[in-house]
Every structure is written in structure tokens, then in C-alpha cells.
């Protein structure tokens, strides 16, 4: 599984949709099994304009890991406290 922050900030309807980021991966040739929103598990101050900690998480074929990392996606193993829902 790989993730990337969705760029959302508190008090605003913002952030990159799961489907939009999925297209970034598939255009690069990465096979995506499923994608979903999750939380990185870190604490953030409650303040408008501050980060939310929301991430888009994708289960991908292992053969696409290098390509995903080249697109700035990271392994979820770097977020030990992340709260990631199961694939549907």
C-alpha cells in the first residue's frame, strides 16, 4: 500500500479526490487494486488553514512500487499510526 497527502486543510472543502490521484498512478502504468481516504494518525492543532492529516491510500501491485515512489507516493509502513480502512 502507498499513500500521498491529499493537501486538505481545516475549515475548507479541499483536498485531492481519491479518483484523481488514482488516475495519476494508472496513467503511469501502476495497477491500482483499490483506493480510499485515511488518516495519517498524527495529531494536528485545531486551526483553520492547518493540515488535516488526510491521505489517499492505494493498494497497488508490487511491481508498480518504484513508479509510485517516483511520483512521490510513499509506503504506508512509514506511517505506523495511520488509520486505514479496508478495501471495499
Amino acid at each position: 500500500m502507498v499513500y500521498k497527502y491529499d493537501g486538505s486543510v481545516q475549515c475548507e472543502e479541499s483536498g485531492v479526490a481519491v479518483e484523481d490521484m488514482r488516475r495519476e498512478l494508472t496513467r503511469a502504468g501502476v495497477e491500482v487494486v483499490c483506493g480510499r481516504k485515511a488518516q495519517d494518525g498524527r495529531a494536528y492543532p485545531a486551526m483553520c488553514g492547518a493540515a488535516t492529516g488526510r491521505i489517499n491510500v492505494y493498494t497497488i501491485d508490487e511491481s508498480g512500487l518504484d513508479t509510485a515512489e517516483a511520483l512521490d507516493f510513499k509506503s504506508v509502513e512509514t506511517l505506523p499510526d495511520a488509520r486505514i480502512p479496508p478495501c471495499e
Side-chain angles (χ1 to χ4, degrees):
M1 287 189 291
V2 295
Y3 76 93
K4 191 187 279 190
Y5 283 91
D6 71 1
S8 58
V9 294
Q10 295 178 46
C11 303
E12 294 180 20
E13 291 294 322
S14 61
V16 178
V18 171
E19 268 311 305
D20 293 342
M21 246 185 236
R22 177 193 293 255
R23 280 191 286 279
E24 180 181 359
L25 287 165
T26 56
R27 278 194 306 261
V30 177
E31 181 182 339
V32 177
V33 176
C34 76
R36 60 258 191 222
K37 288 278 184 193
Q39 285 293 133
D40 67 5
R42 296 178 178 154
Y44 292 87
M47 181 174 67
C48 287
T52 62
R54 277 186 281 203
I55 55 177
N56 291 337
V57 177
Y58 302 90
T59 301
I60 63 170
D61 187 87
E62 188 175 353
S63 64
L65 183 58
D66 289 339
T67 302
E69 288 176 341
L71 296 170
D72 294 326
F73 286 84
K74 294 177 178 51
S75 169
V76 295
E77 292 175 4
T78 64
L79 294 175
D81 297 323
R83 293 184 304 274
I84 303 169
C87 286
E88 292 183 9

